[in-house]
Amino acid sequence: MGKKQKFIRDSVYGDINLSKFEVKVMDMPPFQRIRRIKQLGLINLIYPGANHTRFEHCIGTMYLASKLATKLDLAKEEIELVRISGLLHDIGHGPFSHVSEGVLSFPHEELTKHVIEKTSMYDLLSERFNTKEIVDIINGEGKLGPIISGELDVDRMDYLQRDSHNTGVAYGVIDYERIISNLKLDDGLILDMKGVQAAEGALVSRYFMYPSVYQHHTTRIVNSMFRRALKREIDSGKINENDMYKYDDSDIITLFRHSDDEIVRDMINRLDNRIIPKRVKTIRLDNFKAPEKLYKIEQKNLRKAEEEIAEDFNMDKNYVFINIAEYPRFDEMKTQVSVDDKLYPLTKISNIIGALSKARFNIPDISVYVPIEEKERFEKLKLNHYLDLPEIDRDKFHGIHYDQIKLF
């Protein structure tokens, strides 16, 4: 009889095999911590099923990285290196994942590097691997980096499917098998022409997952509430941002509930009981002639505008929120496609992707939120009185109206 293999039953891919060394890594406290870090932060307040964790996502990323590395015919040692990099790529995430990261003065990759190179995890990893190579791959550097962190990487492939599966939002279903079978490694990941349709599907999926899940208007306000509370705790010195890799979700929630800061306690009470501020003003970014300019507004100017609005409406400044949806990057559009031994960007090959590139600002918006009991007082709020907004595209409105007349 052959020796018994260890495996995990994953809700998306089924059985995922693990080596003895990978099991040892997963049993380490820094990795077990991410069992207690929700992949989608506070999105379970919008989609109750979104309770999956970074632990699941990291295992799924390792699985897809292994499939791709095997398809690329990499050496056994390279496959093992890619697998462990996929497994550890998010080990530095703070509580509620990207929600807490929005307050930190550095990206989570810095904390991931620290965990891999400066904690007990280093002693175990260095028995088999060069930890610098792991960190480089996680950061998308070197020959193998694009597999984990690139334009069309396995990290994105997993989170789209996993987030779709757990939220019940069907947009994230992608043909990852087709994409993987049509990738080759040559100064980055190159997509064969036969994989373009599957890549189109992945990009369209992500395009729709943003407004439906990642940048849903309620997602944005609950994230803003959490970040405001966390920033107050960091600014007061009660939490050291360099130690965020030590906390899990419940640690931070407990700290908030027992904080001596009344605002922090009230924010977590509102989140606990889903007492969520409502939008009183929304402007879609495609209404502006140059929507990119909105992302050049500094945070200090947004905070100043919030304070001025609060003063004019006789409110506590901590309960006025101005939020701009994240910049719609869609790096996958830069993917290189091989056609007759020549390389072209995906936007040049696919009319669908070209259209998505132009339509990226159709959905994001800038919104003002206030507590529900204050909502009626803000009906006549003029946001341009408080912020230097880009010019409104009046001709675009006319064009849309004319098209509607023709349609009907």
Side-chain angles (χ1 to χ4, degrees):
M1 291 180 66
K3 54 184 180 180
K4 189 176 179 181
Q5 273 194 308
K6 183 82 172 179
F7 66 86
I8 280 184
R9 174 62 62 87
D10 182 67
S11 63
V12 176
Y13 308 116
D15 290 347
I16 296 178
N17 293 320
L18 302 166
S19 70
K20 286 184 177 180
F21 187 79
E22 289 163 354
V23 172
K24 281 185 181 180
V25 171
M26 289 170 61
D27 285 344
M28 292 285 285
F31 197 87
Q32 288 297 310
R33 180 190 71 93
I34 64 173
R35 281 186 185 271
R36 305 184 297 277
I37 304 290
K38 285 192 176 68
Q39 168 80 4
L40 290 179
L42 297 156
I43 289 179
N44 66 339
L45 289 173
I46 297 95
Y47 296 102
N51 291 304
H52 55 303
T53 65
R54 286 282 151 183
F55 183 91
E56 298 162 62
H57 168 58
C58 284
I59 294 169
T61 300
M62 178 195 73
Y63 171 77
L64 291 183
S66 184
K67 282 184 73 75
L68 179 53
T70 302
K71 185 270 168 187
L72 295 172
D73 201 25
L74 299 182
K76 180 174 179 289
E77 295 77 15
E78 290 178 314
I79 294 175
E80 290 177 353
L81 180 58
V82 165
R83 281 178 64 93
I84 204 70
S85 300
L87 190 65
L88 296 172
H89 81 285
D90 275 346
I91 199 171
H93 258 299
F96 296 99
S97 299
H98 290 290
V99 186
S100 61
E101 186 178 14
V103 176
L104 306 183
S105 57
F106 44 79
H108 74 272
E109 286 86 0
E110 289 296 316
L111 292 176
T112 293
K113 179 180 179 181
H114 179 84
V115 173
I116 291 172
E117 296 190 330
K118 302 293 183 182
T119 70
S120 57
M121 186 65 80
Y122 172 82
D123 298 328
L124 177 59
L125 292 172
S126 58
E127 293 176 13
R128 292 281 297 273
F129 300 101
N130 179 336
T131 55
K132 184 181 183 305
E133 291 181 346
I134 295 174
V135 171
D136 285 346
I137 290 172
I138 289 171
N139 290 329
E141 298 171 3
K143 171 189 170 185
L144 304 177
I147 294 174
I148 304 296
S149 181
E151 283 88 21
L152 201 60
D153 57 47
V154 294
D155 177 19
R156 284 185 177 91
M157 289 185 212
D158 181 79
Y159 77 61
L160 274 175
Q161 294 179 105
R162 193 168 300 279
D163 296 348
S164 174
H165 175 80
N166 286 279
T167 58
V169 176
Y171 295 128
V173 178
I174 65 173
D175 189 355
Y176 70 91
E177 295 274 11
R178 182 74 172 174
I179 294 172
I180 285 175
S181 66
N182 283 286
L183 287 172
K184 63 181 180 180
L185 194 61
D186 182 13
D187 193 24
L189 285 174
I190 309 298
L191 184 68
D192 187 83
M193 188 66 186
K194 287 184 281 188
V196 166
Q197 190 173 12
E200 287 174 337
L203 262 163
V204 170
S205 294
R206 199 150 86 89
Y207 177 79
F208 285 117
M209 283 289 281
Y210 262 74
S212 301
V213 179
Y214 308 126
Q215 292 295 297
H216 185 281
H217 64 91
T218 308
T219 298
R220 286 158 51 201
I221 183 56
V222 296
N223 288 352
S224 296
M225 293 169 71
F226 181 91
R227 286 168 179 162
R228 186 154 293 182
L230 180 58
K231 190 168 191 323
R232 290 177 73 91
E233 295 294 88
I234 290 174
D235 289 348
S236 68
K238 294 166 198 163
I239 295 176
N240 185 337
E241 66 173 351
N242 295 306
D243 291 336
M244 290 303 286
Y245 70 92
K246 298 177 181 178
Y247 295 102
D248 61 30
D249 293 357
S250 59
D251 290 332
I252 294 296
I253 293 299
T254 302
L255 283 168
F256 284 3
R257 287 177 183 156
H258 294 90
S259 175
D260 55 10
D261 185 326
E262 184 181 350
I263 298 296
V264 171
R265 291 200 311 274
D266 187 56
M267 287 293 178
I268 195 60
N269 178 64
R270 287 170 180 263
L271 288 170
D272 281 341
N273 295 289
R274 209 179 184 280
I275 304 170
I276 299 171
K278 299 298 181 182
R279 289 188 293 182
V280 292
K281 184 68 177 179
T282 298
I283 307 174
R284 276 183 24 186
L285 269 56
D286 67 343
N287 290 341
F288 300 113
K289 284 187 175 180
E292 297 92 344
K293 289 184 179 179
L294 208 65
Y295 292 95
K296 295 179 181 178
I297 298 176
E298 296 183 15
Q299 286 296 312
K300 65 179 182 181
N301 292 332
L302 290 176
R303 301 293 80 81
K304 182 182 177 185
E306 289 172 346
E307 291 174 10
E308 290 174 351
I309 291 171
E311 184 177 351
D312 288 350
F313 285 83
N314 193 27
M315 276 185 58
D316 185 331
K317 66 181 181 181
N318 293 295
Y319 293 90
V320 176
F321 301 85
I322 299 176
N323 182 276
I324 304 173
E326 286 182 8
Y327 187 87
R329 296 179 59 87
F330 300 110
D331 290 338
E332 298 96 322
M333 294 178 181
K334 302 173 187 173
T335 299
Q336 296 293 301
V337 181
S338 176
V339 183
D340 297 330
D341 296 325
K342 293 183 180 179
L343 298 180
Y344 302 89
L346 190 54
T347 48
K348 297 290 185 184
I349 297 297
S350 166
N351 289 333
I352 292 175
I353 303 305
L356 281 181
S357 181
K358 294 176 182 176
R360 66 172 70 194
F361 292 110
N362 283 4
I363 298 172
D365 63 62
I366 177 171
S367 292
V368 181
Y369 299 80
V370 299
I372 187 170
E373 62 270 19
E374 303 285 353
K375 182 178 179 180
E376 290 184 6
R377 298 204 293 128
F378 284 80
E379 287 183 1
K380 295 182 180 180
L381 175 69
K382 301 290 186 183
L383 189 53
N384 60 320
H385 290 178
Y386 301 93
L387 283 172
D388 184 16
L389 299 175
E391 183 182 356
I392 295 290
D393 189 348
R394 305 291 178 187
D395 292 336
K396 186 170 188 178
F397 292 158
H398 178 74
I400 292 171
H401 182 63
Y402 180 69
D403 288 343
Q404 288 174 337
I405 290 172
K406 286 198 300 182
L407 179 64
F408 289 109

